[in-house]
Tab-separated table of all heavy atoms in Angstrom:
chain	number	residue	atom	x	y	z
A	116	SER	N	-112.852	29.966	-86.896
A	116	SER	CA	-113.052	28.524	-87.063
A	116	SER	C	-112.859	27.803	-85.731
A	116	SER	O	-113.538	26.814	-85.435
A	116	SER	CB	-112.108	27.953	-88.123
A	116	SER	OG	-110.760	28.131	-87.773
A	117	SER	N	-111.935	28.321	-84.920
A	117	SER	CA	-111.696	27.733	-83.607
A	117	SER	C	-112.918	27.865	-82.698
A	117	SER	O	-113.291	26.933	-81.969
A	117	SER	CB	-110.479	28.419	-82.975
A	117	SER	OG	-110.105	27.812	-81.775
A	118	VAL	N	-113.579	29.025	-82.753
A	118	VAL	CA	-114.823	29.221	-81.993
A	118	VAL	C	-115.887	28.239	-82.477
A	118	VAL	O	-116.624	27.649	-81.671
A	118	VAL	CB	-115.319	30.682	-82.133
A	118	VAL	CG1	-116.735	30.824	-81.578
A	118	VAL	CG2	-114.374	31.628	-81.400
A	119	SER	N	-115.943	28.012	-83.788
A	119	SER	CA	-116.943	27.063	-84.314
A	119	SER	C	-116.649	25.646	-83.840
A	119	SER	O	-117.583	24.876	-83.555
A	119	SER	CB	-116.991	27.123	-85.847
A	119	SER	OG	-115.976	26.369	-86.471
A	120	ILE	N	-115.384	25.280	-83.749
A	120	ILE	CA	-115.017	23.942	-83.252
A	120	ILE	C	-115.429	23.798	-81.792
A	120	ILE	O	-116.003	22.783	-81.389
A	120	ILE	CB	-113.511	23.697	-83.437
A	120	ILE	CG1	-113.163	23.588	-84.922
A	120	ILE	CG2	-113.077	22.413	-82.705
A	120	ILE	CD1	-111.687	23.608	-85.219
A	121	LYS	N	-115.160	24.815	-81.007
A	121	LYS	CA	-115.530	24.771	-79.585
A	121	LYS	C	-117.020	24.501	-79.405
A	121	LYS	O	-117.417	23.678	-78.563
A	121	LYS	CB	-115.164	26.090	-78.898
A	121	LYS	CG	-115.674	26.185	-77.458
A	121	LYS	CD	-115.393	27.543	-76.837
A	121	LYS	CE	-116.051	27.654	-75.457
A	121	LYS	NZ	-115.808	28.980	-74.823
A	122	HIS	N	-117.849	25.165	-80.200
A	122	HIS	CA	-119.289	25.119	-79.969
A	122	HIS	C	-120.035	24.072	-80.801
A	122	HIS	O	-121.184	23.760	-80.482
A	122	HIS	CB	-119.895	26.501	-80.226
A	122	HIS	CG	-119.493	27.520	-79.212
A	122	HIS	ND1	-120.094	27.621	-77.973
A	122	HIS	CD2	-118.521	28.470	-79.238
A	122	HIS	CE1	-119.521	28.595	-77.284
A	122	HIS	NE2	-118.567	29.128	-78.025
A	123	LEU	N	-119.389	23.513	-81.857
A	123	LEU	CA	-120.126	22.625	-82.754
A	123	LEU	C	-119.510	21.241	-82.940
A	123	LEU	O	-120.228	20.299	-83.288
A	123	LEU	CB	-120.284	23.283	-84.132
A	123	LEU	CG	-121.145	24.543	-84.184
A	123	LEU	CD1	-121.066	25.173	-85.563
A	123	LEU	CD2	-122.592	24.238	-83.819
A	124	ALA	N	-118.211	21.104	-82.754
A	124	ALA	CA	-117.583	19.795	-82.977
A	124	ALA	C	-117.905	18.836	-81.833
A	124	ALA	O	-118.170	19.255	-80.702
A	124	ALA	CB	-116.068	19.947	-83.107
A	125	ARG	N	-117.895	17.533	-82.159
A	125	ARG	CA	-118.090	16.530	-81.116
A	125	ARG	C	-116.979	16.639	-80.075
A	125	ARG	O	-115.823	16.925	-80.403
A	125	ARG	CB	-118.083	15.110	-81.702
A	125	ARG	CG	-119.193	14.825	-82.670
A	125	ARG	CD	-119.313	13.318	-82.973
A	125	ARG	NE	-118.070	12.601	-82.864
A	125	ARG	CZ	-117.232	12.337	-83.871
A	125	ARG	NH1	-117.512	12.784	-85.095
A	125	ARG	NH2	-116.132	11.646	-83.671
A	126	LYS	N	-117.318	16.382	-78.834
A	126	LYS	CA	-116.336	16.485	-77.757
A	126	LYS	C	-115.231	15.454	-77.900
A	126	LYS	O	-114.102	15.664	-77.456
A	126	LYS	CB	-117.018	16.323	-76.389
A	126	LYS	CG	-118.094	17.362	-76.098
A	126	LYS	CD	-117.550	18.777	-76.092
A	126	LYS	CE	-118.643	19.788	-75.745
A	126	LYS	NZ	-118.157	21.187	-75.890
A	127	ASP	N	-115.554	14.317	-78.544
A	127	ASP	CA	-114.573	13.233	-78.651
A	127	ASP	C	-113.806	13.268	-79.974
A	127	ASP	O	-113.181	12.278	-80.362
A	127	ASP	CB	-115.256	11.875	-78.490
A	127	ASP	CG	-116.275	11.594	-79.598
A	127	ASP	OD1	-116.600	12.520	-80.367
A	127	ASP	OD2	-116.731	10.432	-79.696
A	128	ALA	N	-113.830	14.387	-80.684
A	128	ALA	CA	-113.135	14.499	-81.964
A	128	ALA	C	-111.637	14.249	-81.777
A	128	ALA	O	-111.002	14.846	-80.921
A	128	ALA	CB	-113.374	15.873	-82.575
A	129	LYS	N	-111.077	13.366	-82.613
A	129	LYS	CA	-109.669	12.976	-82.485
A	129	LYS	C	-108.835	13.273	-83.728
A	129	LYS	O	-107.616	13.428	-83.642
A	129	LYS	CB	-109.561	11.477	-82.168
A	129	LYS	CG	-110.211	11.049	-80.866
A	129	LYS	CD	-109.540	11.707	-79.675
A	129	LYS	CE	-110.156	11.230	-78.352
A	129	LYS	NZ	-109.611	11.976	-77.192
A	130	VAL	N	-109.473	13.324	-84.904
A	130	VAL	CA	-108.740	13.526	-86.161
A	130	VAL	C	-109.215	14.819	-86.807
A	130	VAL	O	-110.418	15.015	-86.995
A	130	VAL	CB	-108.954	12.345	-87.135
A	130	VAL	CG1	-108.195	12.602	-88.443
A	130	VAL	CG2	-108.495	11.044	-86.496
A	131	ILE	N	-108.259	15.684	-87.133
A	131	ILE	CA	-108.603	16.931	-87.816
A	131	ILE	C	-108.028	16.912	-89.222
A	131	ILE	O	-106.862	16.567	-89.431
A	131	ILE	CB	-108.114	18.166	-87.032
A	131	ILE	CG1	-108.521	19.458	-87.773
A	131	ILE	CG2	-106.612	18.131	-86.781
A	131	ILE	CD1	-108.384	20.707	-86.928
A	132	GLY	N	-108.862	17.247	-90.201
A	132	GLY	CA	-108.446	17.299	-91.593
A	132	GLY	C	-108.240	18.728	-92.040
A	132	GLY	O	-109.031	19.606	-91.706
A	133	MET	N	-107.180	18.944	-92.817
A	133	MET	CA	-106.876	20.272	-93.348
A	133	MET	C	-106.877	20.234	-94.866
A	133	MET	O	-106.130	19.454	-95.473
A	133	MET	CB	-105.504	20.742	-92.856
A	133	MET	CG	-105.407	21.020	-91.365
A	133	MET	SD	-106.428	22.418	-90.830
A	133	MET	CE	-105.776	23.753	-91.851
A	134	ILE	N	-107.716	21.048	-95.484
A	134	ILE	CA	-107.696	21.231	-96.933
A	134	ILE	C	-107.127	22.614	-97.187
A	134	ILE	O	-107.754	23.624	-96.878
A	134	ILE	CB	-109.101	21.078	-97.531
A	134	ILE	CG1	-109.611	19.661	-97.315
A	134	ILE	CG2	-109.100	21.424	-99.015
A	134	ILE	CD1	-111.019	19.431	-97.784
A	135	GLY	N	-105.908	22.644	-97.704
A	135	GLY	CA	-105.174	23.891	-97.844
A	135	GLY	C	-103.953	23.860	-96.943
A	135	GLY	O	-104.012	23.337	-95.820
A	136	ALA	N	-102.847	24.370	-97.449
A	136	ALA	CA	-101.600	24.334	-96.677
A	136	ALA	C	-100.798	25.611	-96.864
A	136	ALA	O	-99.580	25.621	-96.735
A	136	ALA	CB	-100.764	23.119	-97.086
A	137	GLY	N	-101.489	26.708	-97.149
A	137	GLY	CA	-100.821	27.982	-97.334
A	137	GLY	C	-100.575	28.700	-96.017
A	137	GLY	O	-100.690	28.120	-94.930
A	138	HIS	N	-100.257	29.995	-96.115
A	138	HIS	CA	-99.920	30.812	-94.941
A	138	HIS	C	-101.022	30.760	-93.882
A	138	HIS	O	-100.758	30.522	-92.703
A	138	HIS	CB	-99.681	32.256	-95.406
A	138	HIS	CG	-99.383	33.225	-94.314
A	138	HIS	ND1	-98.168	33.244	-93.657
A	138	HIS	CD2	-100.131	34.219	-93.759
A	138	HIS	CE1	-98.178	34.206	-92.756
A	138	HIS	NE2	-99.362	34.812	-92.793
A	139	GLN	N	-102.284	30.966	-94.301
A	139	GLN	CA	-103.384	31.010	-93.341
A	139	GLN	C	-103.658	29.653	-92.710
A	139	GLN	O	-104.099	29.566	-91.566
A	139	GLN	CB	-104.649	31.541	-94.015
A	139	GLN	CG	-105.860	31.652	-93.104
A	139	GLN	CD	-105.653	32.592	-91.929
A	139	GLN	OE1	-105.106	33.678	-92.089
A	139	GLN	NE2	-106.089	32.190	-90.751
A	140	ALA	N	-103.376	28.565	-93.434
A	140	ALA	CA	-103.648	27.219	-92.909
A	140	ALA	C	-102.873	26.949	-91.626
A	140	ALA	O	-103.360	26.250	-90.739
A	140	ALA	CB	-103.313	26.169	-93.965
A	141	THR	N	-101.669	27.499	-91.522
A	141	THR	CA	-100.877	27.266	-90.309
A	141	THR	C	-101.530	27.920	-89.097
A	141	THR	O	-101.538	27.348	-88.003
A	141	THR	CB	-99.441	27.780	-90.490
A	141	THR	OG1	-99.453	29.197	-90.729
A	141	THR	CG2	-98.752	27.080	-91.656
A	142	PHE	N	-102.098	29.103	-89.291
A	142	PHE	CA	-102.815	29.774	-88.197
A	142	PHE	C	-104.070	28.987	-87.823
A	142	PHE	O	-104.393	28.826	-86.634
A	142	PHE	CB	-103.193	31.198	-88.608
A	142	PHE	CG	-102.028	32.143	-88.688
A	142	PHE	CD1	-101.320	32.285	-89.867
A	142	PHE	CD2	-101.641	32.884	-87.581
A	142	PHE	CE1	-100.242	33.159	-89.950
A	142	PHE	CE2	-100.566	33.761	-87.650
A	142	PHE	CZ	-99.859	33.894	-88.837
A	143	GLN	N	-104.786	28.513	-88.836
A	143	GLN	CA	-105.995	27.730	-88.587
A	143	GLN	C	-105.695	26.505	-87.735
A	143	GLN	O	-106.392	26.209	-86.762
A	143	GLN	CB	-106.601	27.285	-89.926
A	143	GLN	CG	-107.147	28.397	-90.789
A	143	GLN	CD	-108.443	28.961	-90.263
A	143	GLN	OE1	-109.226	28.257	-89.637
A	143	GLN	NE2	-108.691	30.221	-90.515
A	144	LEU	N	-104.647	25.781	-88.119
A	144	LEU	CA	-104.350	24.525	-87.437
A	144	LEU	C	-103.886	24.761	-86.002
A	144	LEU	O	-104.315	24.053	-85.084
A	144	LEU	CB	-103.306	23.737	-88.225
A	144	LEU	CG	-102.962	22.349	-87.679
A	144	LEU	CD1	-104.210	21.490	-87.511
A	144	LEU	CD2	-101.956	21.647	-88.600
A	145	ARG	N	-103.018	25.752	-85.800
A	145	ARG	CA	-102.560	26.033	-84.430
A	145	ARG	C	-103.739	26.333	-83.508
A	145	ARG	O	-103.800	25.835	-82.377
A	145	ARG	CB	-101.588	27.210	-84.423
A	145	ARG	CG	-100.211	26.890	-84.973
A	145	ARG	CD	-99.229	28.033	-84.696
A	145	ARG	NE	-97.971	27.772	-85.377
A	145	ARG	CZ	-97.630	28.278	-86.548
A	145	ARG	NH1	-98.484	29.085	-87.185
A	145	ARG	NH2	-96.470	28.002	-87.096
A	146	ALA	N	-104.664	27.163	-83.981
A	146	ALA	CA	-105.812	27.533	-83.152
A	146	ALA	C	-106.739	26.340	-82.929
A	146	ALA	O	-107.232	26.114	-81.814
A	146	ALA	CB	-106.580	28.679	-83.812
A	147	ALA	N	-106.977	25.560	-83.975
A	147	ALA	CA	-107.902	24.426	-83.875
A	147	ALA	C	-107.400	23.362	-82.911
A	147	ALA	O	-108.184	22.759	-82.164
A	147	ALA	CB	-108.115	23.815	-85.255
A	148	LEU	N	-106.098	23.115	-82.909
A	148	LEU	CA	-105.537	22.058	-82.063
A	148	LEU	C	-105.727	22.345	-80.573
A	148	LEU	O	-105.633	21.430	-79.749
A	148	LEU	CB	-104.048	21.877	-82.370
A	148	LEU	CG	-103.731	21.203	-83.715
A	148	LEU	CD1	-102.230	21.246	-84.000
A	148	LEU	CD2	-104.233	19.758	-83.727
A	149	GLU	N	-106.043	23.586	-80.235
A	149	GLU	CA	-106.253	23.950	-78.831
A	149	GLU	C	-107.681	23.661	-78.357
A	149	GLU	O	-107.961	23.762	-77.165
A	149	GLU	CB	-105.936	25.440	-78.642
A	149	GLU	CG	-104.459	25.762	-78.890
A	149	GLU	CD	-104.169	27.254	-78.910
A	149	GLU	OE1	-105.152	28.047	-78.949
A	149	GLU	OE2	-102.992	27.638	-78.890
A	150	GLN	N	-108.580	23.273	-79.276
A	150	GLN	CA	-109.988	23.126	-78.926
A	150	GLN	C	-110.423	21.705	-78.594
A	150	GLN	O	-111.474	21.510	-77.987
A	150	GLN	CB	-110.854	23.680	-80.056
A	150	GLN	CG	-110.715	25.174	-80.251
A	150	GLN	CD	-110.965	25.946	-78.964
A	150	GLN	OE1	-111.928	25.683	-78.242
A	150	GLN	NE2	-110.070	26.881	-78.660
A	151	ARG	N	-109.675	20.722	-79.023
A	151	ARG	CA	-109.983	19.327	-78.717
A	151	ARG	C	-108.685	18.555	-78.522
A	151	ARG	O	-107.593	19.035	-78.877
A	151	ARG	CB	-110.785	18.668	-79.862
A	151	ARG	CG	-112.185	19.211	-80.092
A	151	ARG	CD	-113.127	18.839	-78.965
A	151	ARG	NE	-114.500	19.233	-79.238
A	151	ARG	CZ	-115.020	20.421	-78.936
A	151	ARG	NH1	-114.256	21.360	-78.376
A	151	ARG	NH2	-116.293	20.676	-79.187
A	152	SER	N	-108.777	17.350	-77.994
A	152	SER	CA	-107.585	16.513	-77.790
A	152	SER	C	-107.313	15.718	-79.069
A	152	SER	O	-107.448	14.483	-79.104
A	152	SER	CB	-107.798	15.578	-76.595
A	152	SER	OG	-107.999	16.314	-75.410
A	153	PHE	N	-106.934	16.439	-80.117
A	153	PHE	CA	-106.681	15.784	-81.401
A	153	PHE	C	-105.434	14.907	-81.320
A	153	PHE	O	-104.431	15.275	-80.710
A	153	PHE	CB	-106.509	16.816	-82.510
A	153	PHE	CG	-107.767	17.544	-82.867
A	153	PHE	CD1	-107.925	18.895	-82.548
A	153	PHE	CD2	-108.807	16.886	-83.517
A	153	PHE	CE1	-109.090	19.563	-82.881
A	153	PHE	CE2	-109.971	17.558	-83.854
A	153	PHE	CZ	-110.116	18.900	-83.532
A	154	GLU	N	-105.520	13.739	-81.966
A	154	GLU	CA	-104.413	12.796	-81.982
A	154	GLU	C	-103.749	12.682	-83.345
A	154	GLU	O	-102.654	12.120	-83.462
A	154	GLU	CB	-104.914	11.408	-81.552
A	154	GLU	CG	-105.457	11.395	-80.125
A	154	GLU	CD	-106.091	10.068	-79.759
A	154	GLU	OE1	-106.243	9.191	-80.658
A	154	GLU	OE2	-106.464	9.910	-78.578
A	155	LYS	N	-104.416	13.238	-84.388
A	155	LYS	CA	-103.868	13.103	-85.732
A	155	LYS	C	-104.369	14.238	-86.613
A	155	LYS	O	-105.512	14.687	-86.484
A	155	LYS	CB	-104.287	11.758	-86.345
A	155	LYS	CG	-103.645	11.440	-87.686
A	155	LYS	CD	-104.059	10.046	-88.168
A	155	LYS	CE	-103.378	9.681	-89.474
A	155	LYS	NZ	-103.779	8.327	-89.942
A	156	VAL	N	-103.493	14.696	-87.506
A	156	VAL	CA	-103.844	15.671	-88.534
A	156	VAL	C	-103.701	14.989	-89.888
A	156	VAL	O	-102.677	14.361	-90.167
A	156	VAL	CB	-102.921	16.904	-88.490
A	156	VAL	CG1	-103.270	17.877	-89.620
A	156	VAL	CG2	-103.004	17.605	-87.143
A	157	ILE	N	-104.724	15.084	-90.717
A	157	ILE	CA	-104.603	14.618	-92.100
A	157	ILE	C	-104.739	15.829	-93.016
A	157	ILE	O	-105.521	16.737	-92.734
A	157	ILE	CB	-105.639	13.524	-92.450
A	157	ILE	CG1	-107.074	14.003	-92.225
A	157	ILE	CG2	-105.372	12.266	-91.637
A	157	ILE	CD1	-108.143	12.984	-92.653
A	158	GLY	N	-103.951	15.865	-94.085
A	158	GLY	CA	-103.919	17.065	-94.905
A	158	GLY	C	-103.905	16.790	-96.399
A	158	GLY	O	-103.358	15.777	-96.856
A	159	TRP	N	-104.519	17.702	-97.143
A	159	TRP	CA	-104.497	17.670	-98.609
A	159	TRP	C	-104.325	19.088	-99.103
A	159	TRP	O	-104.866	20.046	-98.526
A	159	TRP	CB	-105.811	17.105	-99.158
A	159	TRP	CG	-105.864	17.107	-100.674
A	159	TRP	CD1	-105.423	16.129	-101.519
A	159	TRP	CD2	-106.361	18.164	-101.510
A	159	TRP	NE1	-105.613	16.499	-102.828
A	159	TRP	CE2	-106.182	17.745	-102.865
A	159	TRP	CE3	-106.909	19.413	-101.272
A	159	TRP	CZ2	-106.555	18.536	-103.946
A	159	TRP	CZ3	-107.283	20.215	-102.348
A	159	TRP	CH2	-107.114	19.770	-103.667
A	160	ASN	N	-103.550	19.245	-100.173
A	160	ASN	CA	-103.407	20.539	-100.816
A	160	ASN	C	-103.252	20.331	-102.315
A	160	ASN	O	-102.667	19.334	-102.752
A	160	ASN	CB	-102.181	21.289	-100.271
A	160	ASN	CG	-102.179	22.755	-100.684
A	160	ASN	OD1	-103.109	23.496	-100.358
A	160	ASN	ND2	-101.148	23.183	-101.393
A	161	TYR	N	-103.797	21.268	-103.079
A	161	TYR	CA	-103.694	21.172	-104.538
A	161	TYR	C	-102.234	21.087	-104.966
A	161	TYR	O	-101.898	20.395	-105.919
A	161	TYR	CB	-104.372	22.385	-105.173
A	161	TYR	CG	-104.412	22.343	-106.680
A	161	TYR	CD1	-105.361	21.564	-107.343
A	161	TYR	CD2	-103.509	23.076	-107.440
A	161	TYR	CE1	-105.407	21.515	-108.731
A	161	TYR	CE2	-103.538	23.031	-108.826
A	161	TYR	CZ	-104.486	22.248	-109.466
A	161	TYR	OH	-104.520	22.204	-110.840
A	162	HIS	N	-101.363	21.787	-104.236
A	162	HIS	CA	-99.922	21.697	-104.455
A	162	HIS	C	-99.325	20.916	-103.283
A	162	HIS	O	-99.059	21.500	-102.230
A	162	HIS	CB	-99.291	23.091	-104.547
A	162	HIS	CG	-99.831	23.915	-105.677
A	162	HIS	ND1	-99.484	23.686	-106.988
A	162	HIS	CD2	-100.693	24.961	-105.689
A	162	HIS	CE1	-100.104	24.561	-107.767
A	162	HIS	NE2	-100.847	25.339	-107.008
A	163	PRO	N	-99.116	19.609	-103.421
A	163	PRO	CA	-98.683	18.774	-102.298
A	163	PRO	C	-97.360	19.207	-101.681
A	163	PRO	O	-97.108	18.933	-100.504
A	163	PRO	CB	-98.556	17.370	-102.916
A	163	PRO	CG	-99.312	17.417	-104.192
A	163	PRO	CD	-99.326	18.821	-104.657
A	164	GLU	N	-96.524	19.889	-102.466
A	164	GLU	CA	-95.234	20.313	-101.942
A	164	GLU	C	-95.366	21.333	-100.808
A	164	GLU	O	-94.390	21.602	-100.085
A	164	GLU	CB	-94.361	20.894	-103.064
A	164	GLU	CG	-94.861	22.178	-103.701
A	164	GLU	CD	-95.836	21.968	-104.857
A	164	GLU	OE1	-96.355	20.830	-104.998
A	164	GLU	OE2	-96.083	22.929	-105.605
A	165	MET	N	-96.574	21.873	-100.603
A	165	MET	CA	-96.798	22.828	-99.516
A	165	MET	C	-97.236	22.168	-98.220
A	165	MET	O	-97.289	22.815	-97.171
A	165	MET	CB	-97.841	23.866	-99.945
A	165	MET	CG	-97.396	24.742	-101.104
A	165	MET	SD	-98.680	25.925	-101.614
A	165	MET	CE	-98.748	26.993	-100.176
A	166	LEU	N	-97.530	20.882	-98.257
A	166	LEU	CA	-98.026	20.188	-97.063
A	166	LEU	C	-97.070	20.235	-95.867
A	166	LEU	O	-97.533	20.226	-94.716
A	166	LEU	CB	-98.375	18.738	-97.395
A	166	LEU	CG	-99.657	18.553	-98.217
A	166	LEU	CD1	-99.809	17.103	-98.659
A	166	LEU	CD2	-100.882	18.998	-97.418
A	167	PRO	N	-95.750	20.303	-96.070
A	167	PRO	CA	-94.869	20.440	-94.899
A	167	PRO	C	-95.173	21.653	-94.025
A	167	PRO	O	-94.825	21.659	-92.837
A	167	PRO	CB	-93.475	20.543	-95.536
A	167	PRO	CG	-93.585	19.739	-96.783
A	167	PRO	CD	-94.973	20.041	-97.290
A	168	ASN	N	-95.833	22.680	-94.575
A	168	ASN	CA	-96.226	23.839	-93.760
A	168	ASN	C	-97.111	23.421	-92.593
A	168	ASN	O	-96.902	23.848	-91.450
A	168	ASN	CB	-96.978	24.864	-94.616
A	168	ASN	CG	-96.107	25.547	-95.637
A	168	ASN	OD1	-94.891	25.594	-95.494
A	168	ASN	ND2	-96.720	26.087	-96.683
A	169	ILE	N	-98.105	22.580	-92.883
A	169	ILE	CA	-99.000	22.166	-91.802
A	169	ILE	C	-98.446	20.953	-91.051
A	169	ILE	O	-98.749	20.758	-89.867
A	169	ILE	CB	-100.436	21.907	-92.308
A	169	ILE	CG1	-100.473	20.913	-93.461
A	169	ILE	CG2	-101.088	23.215	-92.714
A	169	ILE	CD1	-101.886	20.569	-93.913
A	170	GLU	N	-97.639	20.153	-91.702
A	170	GLU	CA	-96.996	19.035	-91.001
A	170	GLU	C	-96.109	19.563	-89.879
A	170	GLU	O	-96.070	18.998	-88.779
A	170	GLU	CB	-96.170	18.205	-91.970
A	170	GLU	CG	-95.509	17.002	-91.324
A	170	GLU	CD	-94.756	16.129	-92.310
A	170	GLU	OE1	-94.553	16.559	-93.466
A	170	GLU	OE2	-94.359	15.010	-91.917
A	171	LYS	N	-95.427	20.665	-90.130
A	171	LYS	CA	-94.571	21.277	-89.105
A	171	LYS	C	-95.388	21.706	-87.894
A	171	LYS	O	-94.979	21.494	-86.742
A	171	LYS	CB	-93.833	22.478	-89.705
A	171	LYS	CG	-92.906	23.175	-88.714
A	171	LYS	CD	-92.230	24.379	-89.362
A	171	LYS	CE	-91.349	25.106	-88.336
A	171	LYS	NZ	-90.723	26.320	-88.912
A	172	VAL	N	-96.554	22.295	-88.134
A	172	VAL	CA	-97.418	22.721	-87.029
A	172	VAL	C	-97.874	21.510	-86.218
A	172	VAL	O	-97.870	21.529	-84.981
A	172	VAL	CB	-98.632	23.498	-87.557
A	172	VAL	CG1	-99.611	23.822	-86.427
A	172	VAL	CG2	-98.180	24.784	-88.245
A	173	ALA	N	-98.258	20.433	-86.918
A	173	ALA	CA	-98.679	19.208	-86.224
A	173	ALA	C	-97.530	18.651	-85.385
A	173	ALA	O	-97.724	18.279	-84.213
A	173	ALA	CB	-99.147	18.167	-87.244
A	174	ASN	N	-96.337	18.615	-85.958
A	174	ASN	CA	-95.170	18.088	-85.235
A	174	ASN	C	-94.866	18.920	-83.997
A	174	ASN	O	-94.541	18.367	-82.930
A	174	ASN	CB	-93.946	18.059	-86.155
A	174	ASN	CG	-94.061	17.017	-87.255
A	174	ASN	OD1	-94.857	16.092	-87.156
A	174	ASN	ND2	-93.279	17.166	-88.305
A	175	GLU	N	-94.957	20.236	-84.134
A	175	GLU	CA	-94.701	21.119	-82.984
A	175	GLU	C	-95.692	20.867	-81.853
A	175	GLU	O	-95.358	21.034	-80.674
A	175	GLU	CB	-94.789	22.584	-83.422
A	175	GLU	CG	-93.620	23.037	-84.292
A	175	GLU	CD	-93.841	24.413	-84.891
A	175	GLU	OE1	-94.985	24.935	-84.782
A	175	GLU	OE2	-92.896	24.958	-85.489
A	176	ALA	N	-96.909	20.452	-82.211
A	176	ALA	CA	-97.944	20.172	-81.206
A	176	ALA	C	-97.892	18.722	-80.713
A	176	ALA	O	-98.704	18.335	-79.859
A	176	ALA	CB	-99.321	20.475	-81.781
A	177	GLY	N	-96.971	17.934	-81.265
A	177	GLY	CA	-96.860	16.534	-80.860
A	177	GLY	C	-97.977	15.665	-81.393
A	177	GLY	O	-98.347	14.666	-80.772
A	178	VAL	N	-98.513	16.039	-82.565
A	178	VAL	CA	-99.622	15.310	-83.166
A	178	VAL	C	-99.162	14.691	-84.480
A	178	VAL	O	-98.443	15.319	-85.263
A	178	VAL	CB	-100.820	16.264	-83.421
A	178	VAL	CG1	-101.980	15.519	-84.065
A	178	VAL	CG2	-101.268	16.916	-82.113
Side-chain angles (χ1 to χ4, degrees):
S116 61
S117 186
V118 169
S119 82
I120 292 169
K121 173 185 174 181
H122 291 279
L123 294 173
R125 297 193 331 266
K126 300 299 182 187
D127 63 349
K129 299 297 182 186
V130 179
I131 181 166
M133 293 294 302
I134 296 176
H138 178 74
Q139 181 61 44
T141 61
F142 288 89
Q143 293 287 330
L144 184 54
R145 286 190 187 97
L148 288 172
E149 295 171 349
Q150 294 306 314
R151 294 290 186 272
S152 298
F153 290 110
E154 298 174 353
K155 187 177 183 180
V156 177
I157 58 176
W159 177 88
N160 193 60
Y161 184 79
H162 299 285
E164 65 273 15
M165 296 178 67
L166 287 172
N168 291 338
I169 54 176
E170 182 176 12
K171 180 181 178 183
V172 174
N174 291 341
E175 288 171 350
V178 179

